[in-house]
Amino acid sequence: MKSYLKDFIKEQKVVVDELSNLKKNRVEWDKTVHEHLKRRGPNRSQDLTVRGTSPCYQCFFSAHVLHMRGFLTPQPVQDNTGNVLLWNGEIFGGPWGFVYYQKAGDYLWFGRDFFGRRSLLWKSDTEGNILTLTSVAAHSSEPDQSAWQEVPAVGVYRIDLKAAAEAGSVTLEVYPWARGGNDLASSCSETVLESVPGGCTAVMNGSGLVLTSPVCPLNTAIPKSFSENEVNLNSQSCVKDLEQLLASKSKDEEVNRLVVVLSEAVRRRVQSLPFSVQDSSPPPNDHASVAILFSGGIDSMILAALADRHIPAHQPIDLLNVAFKLQESKKQQESAKKPKKTKNKPTDSKTNGADLQTSSPFDVPDRVTGRAGLEELQDLNPDRRWRFVEINVTQDELHSMRQERICHLVYPLDTVLDDSIGCAVWFAARGTGFITEDNDQRPFTSSAKVVLTGIGADEQLAGYSRHRVRFKVTGHEGLIQELAMELDRIHSRNLGRDDRVIGDHGKEARFPYLDEDVVSYLNSLPVWEKADLTLPRGVGEKLLLRLMAKQLGLGQSAVLPKRAMQFGSRIAKMEDKHEKASDKCTRLLTG
């Protein structure tokens, strides 16, 4: 099987139905979904039908390949005995979604990796006795669209196709990941039952088998006393604070170990990515094989610094920085016409940037910190060609592309937060904007197929404001519970959506902070080694990562407080509405 998986990234859609429904199903094949799948896998598309007898069933497979390296192998892959594989992922450490038809036994297996880094959706049509699995769906105003759900990343699923054909309903046998806890089966069943397709039943597999977890359990130790914070820190964080902490807390060993495991995680994801995949010629010097979703914050800065270690020196690295046009109020427009008095305010571009006067409607906070981060990277390696891609989005373009594309990719998620992040990531990953080189600004579109994203850092190192709130109320015990919950739900809150959104451009999202070795190392540490929320913002949260940034030679970016993408890019202000992040977003509805 490994020979099939080794070098390729795939997308899949599988429809399992009765013989009498096959023709109808193929005639009604959703053209929009097919187009979405083809954009994810633009290099080769192929369909395959297999039949089962006594009783009758049929499986229709449609696969779309994104060719990254080596020789292109079409999918679906079928062996001499009739087994069929559709694989969407990589084998450098675990990101995958798959569907596998096992002819002997008439079984269909499918699932997502431990964290759910690849999208997989399901839906059941009870009238037609059809089960559909797909990497991406299509939003519709039809009432039955509510049946679409993300497949929970709690394990691997098996369907007995003959039994399903006889019964007229589908039973999903679950082989769950071992995630700890005393009642694994109960916890797994609850998660699956929340999103199981209508007419389907989920049960624990009859043998009680459990899949081995790819990461070690979370360290739940609680300090007997917490008096480690003996260094006097300023209320406004600065790089010197981190230097003091490195000297006083003896964190060199933990920091150095994190550098090793995270650097290796980045290396696996950025190497062996030739541009010319059909021959052995080297990529041209102006081609970047890797791009980074880049705000200038600590997460993306560290990814850039580590990628610099492993990407050939002659290749550029594309830094994708998205900004949504600020809408000026009448008061601002009137003020702009009046001459302004010069005030003695700090204008250091490497500060947080949120309060600085802007000279362009696209000078949002992430643009300001992004430029400052670019300067730090240029200081770190002046020989590298760092391409800072300014991706500017107007309100008209946002509305147009949301209706045409993004609403389908975010679906079945539907909140205001999903809309904001989904739109911001989609425009950023598209990579179409401007770059400035030699004082010359020109249009530019990144052709990098691999897009690194910093998701997973905040979830593991207490980077969100809610972590400070939880710590203040319930201490270390509550904070540990919050962090455990973050990773348990990241598959349903973030990763499927981001995979669908980035994959729409024929690119692959890669998540170094969610590499199994990185997660295992961070899980092994007591929580106070990773974050110290008694310290000021910009130091205490993600403390270990900030110390690592200092170790790597980064500057002011090491102490930038967390700024959510929807606020840093200013998309949250684009609609000028008072909404909660958890509200359902009417803008994602199609006509």
Side-chain angles (χ1 to χ4, degrees):
M1 184 184 293
K2 284 188 178 179
S3 62
Y4 300 145
L5 313 183
K6 187 174 181 182
D7 292 323
F8 308 99
I9 293 140
K10 283 71 182 188
E11 299 308 323
Q12 66 275 330
K13 178 163 185 175
V14 183
V15 177
V16 181
D17 60 10
E18 291 182 333
L19 177 61
S20 59
N21 291 311
L22 177 63
K23 185 175 180 180
K24 175 184 175 183
N25 182 64
R26 296 197 63 173
V27 170
E28 296 177 351
W29 182 265
D30 191 327
K31 293 181 179 179
T32 304
V33 173
H34 189 272
E35 290 172 1
H36 292 164
L37 289 166
K38 194 169 183 180
R39 279 198 295 271
R40 289 173 62 89
N43 300 116
R44 183 65 179 266
S45 298
Q46 186 168 285
D47 299 339
L48 174 67
T49 301
V50 297
R51 295 178 173 84
T53 58
S54 301
C56 295
Y57 67 84
Q58 288 203 358
C59 299
F60 172 66
F61 303 91
S62 181
H64 307 262
V65 179
L66 173 62
H67 186 205
M68 299 292 285
R69 54 183 173 265
F71 295 101
L72 191 154
T73 296
Q75 283 204 48
V77 176
Q78 186 174 32
D79 65 17
N80 294 332
T81 59
N83 301 311
V84 178
L85 174 68
L86 298 96
W87 176 262
N88 168 22
E90 290 284 359
I91 61 168
F92 48 61
W96 48 261
F98 82 99
V99 176
Y100 179 69
Y101 171 69
Q102 181 186 352
K103 186 172 182 180
D106 298 279
Y107 295 124
L108 190 76
W109 300 81
F110 60 94
R112 302 164 68 190
D113 71 73
F114 187 80
F115 298 115
R117 287 164 288 188
R118 292 292 170 258
S119 172
L120 192 61
L121 311 176
W122 58 15
K123 177 185 175 183
S124 176
D125 177 359
T126 54
E127 292 184 4
N129 199 20
I130 300 171
L131 175 68
T132 306
L133 300 169
T134 178
S135 295
V136 60
H139 194 285
S140 169
S141 57
E142 296 297 323
D144 70 336
Q145 289 297 301
S146 61
W148 280 109
Q149 296 285 345
E150 291 187 324
V151 175
V154 299
V156 171
Y157 302 81
R158 186 180 78 165
I159 298 172
D160 185 326
L161 297 174
K162 281 193 174 183
E166 288 176 349
S169 61
V170 173
T171 298
L172 304 163
E173 273 192 296
V174 187
Y175 294 76
W177 295 108
R179 292 182 183 269
N182 297 323
D183 196 354
L184 176 64
S186 174
S187 174
C188 173
S189 297
E190 289 178 8
T191 303
V192 175
L193 287 174
E194 289 176 359
S195 63
V196 70
C200 298
T201 304
V203 298
M204 182 72 173
N205 70 85
S207 302
L209 295 177
V210 175
L211 304 176
T212 302
S213 171
V215 300
C216 77
L218 181 67
N219 187 325
T220 57
I222 297 174
K224 294 179 181 179
S225 63
F226 198 70
S227 58
E228 294 188 24
N229 181 23
E230 298 174 353
V231 180
N232 293 322
L233 299 179
N234 299 320
S235 59
Q236 292 186 345
S237 55
C238 64
V239 176
K240 288 185 178 180
D241 292 339
L242 297 180
E243 292 173 346
Q244 285 182 279
L245 287 168
L246 273 175
S248 65
K249 289 194 150 189
S250 302
K251 286 188 173 289
D252 279 358
E253 185 177 341
E254 289 89 348
V255 172
N256 290 336
R257 179 60 184 156
L258 181 57
V259 170
V260 170
V261 294
L262 188 54
S263 179
E264 174 60 17
V266 171
R267 185 196 67 78
R268 291 193 197 107
R269 288 160 175 78
V270 302
Q271 288 191 346
S272 303
L273 296 170
F275 174 64
S276 182
V277 293
Q278 299 297 345
D279 55 47
S280 58
S281 61
N285 289 341
D286 63 348
H287 170 74
S289 60
V290 174
I292 300 170
L293 299 186
F294 188 77
S295 66
I298 184 172
D299 305 341
S300 58
M301 285 292 291
I302 283 179
L303 292 183
L306 294 178
D308 180 53
R309 293 183 170 191
H310 304 295
I311 293 175
H314 68 274
Q315 288 187 17
I317 295 177
D318 291 345
L319 307 174
L320 309 179
N321 183 275
V322 65
F324 292 82
K325 187 176 183 179
L326 295 171
Q327 305 299 309
E328 288 187 337
S329 65
K330 290 183 178 179
K331 188 175 181 180
Q332 288 174 316
Q333 292 172 354
E334 291 172 0
S335 176
K337 296 176 182 178
K338 300 177 182 178
K340 294 182 180 179
K341 295 181 180 179
T342 303
K343 295 184 179 180
N344 295 324
K345 290 187 177 181
T347 57
D348 183 1
S349 66
K350 295 185 181 181
T351 62
N352 194 14
D355 299 323
L356 300 181
Q357 297 269 345
T358 60
S359 58
S360 162
F362 294 106
D363 279 349
V364 301
D366 278 1
R367 180 61 49 81
V368 175
T369 54
R371 287 173 181 151
L374 172 65
E375 291 181 18
E376 287 190 32
L377 293 173
Q378 289 171 333
D379 290 341
L380 196 66
N381 185 356
D383 295 327
R384 168 76 64 187
R385 190 177 174 195
W386 301 97
R387 288 197 298 218
F388 184 71
V389 188
E390 299 185 31
I391 299 161
N392 299 331
V393 185
T394 64
Q395 192 166 44
D396 288 343
E397 187 176 20
L398 171 63
H399 290 173
S400 173
M401 298 315 298
R402 178 192 282 124
Q403 286 295 304
E404 182 181 335
R405 302 271 281 276
I406 302 170
C407 69
H408 301 292
L409 306 169
V410 171
Y411 183 75
L413 304 186
D414 60 2
T415 69
V416 170
L417 182 64
D418 292 313
D419 171 57
S420 294
I421 296 179
C423 290
V425 171
W426 188 88
F427 280 105
R430 185 174 67 167
T432 297
F434 299 88
I435 61 173
T436 302
E437 293 181 323
D438 300 323
N439 295 319
D440 178 44
Q441 186 182 74
R442 61 182 176 86
F444 177 82
T445 297
S446 172
S447 59
K449 284 188 176 182
V450 168
V451 178
L452 300 184
T453 169
I455 192 168
D458 290 302
E459 287 79 2
Q460 297 180 79
L461 292 149
Y464 293 119
S465 58
R466 61 177 175 266
H467 295 138
R468 281 191 177 271
V469 174
R470 186 70 184 270
F471 176 72
K472 185 176 181 180
V473 175
T474 59
H476 285 98
E477 186 174 0
L479 177 60
I480 291 168
Q481 293 172 356
E482 190 78 15
L483 294 179
M485 182 176 65
E486 294 283 5
L487 280 187
D488 282 345
R489 68 186 184 182
I490 198 170
H491 67 94
S492 61
R493 289 171 65 94
N494 305 92
L495 295 177
R497 177 200 64 212
D498 290 357
D499 176 62
R500 293 190 294 274
V501 167
I502 294 174
D504 189 59
H505 301 294
K507 301 178 180 182
E508 184 182 86
R510 295 187 176 178
F511 313 97
Y513 290 106
L514 291 173
D515 179 272
E516 285 82 354
D517 290 340
V518 173
V519 176
S520 287
Y521 175 62
L522 292 176
N523 275 359
S524 72
L525 296 174
V527 67
W528 63 88
E529 294 288 355
K530 297 180 284 189
D532 181 354
L533 300 187
T534 66
L535 298 178
R537 286 188 71 231
V539 175
E541 73 279 12
K542 297 190 285 191
L543 174 61
L544 191 64
L545 204 62
R546 297 181 188 282
L547 294 170
M548 176 181 169
K550 180 65 183 68
Q551 196 92 313
L552 293 174
L554 298 178
Q556 192 65 26
S557 61
V559 290
L560 285 179
K562 167 69 179 179
R563 188 196 299 117
M565 187 178 197
Q566 64 270 29
F567 301 120
S569 67
R570 282 296 189 259
I571 187 175
K573 289 186 175 291
M574 192 65 120
E575 303 297 334
D576 194 24
K577 292 187 177 182
H578 300 288
E579 301 169 309
K580 293 181 180 179
S582 59
D583 289 346
K584 288 202 172 186
C585 182
T586 57
R587 295 183 295 278
L588 289 172
L589 300 177
T590 56

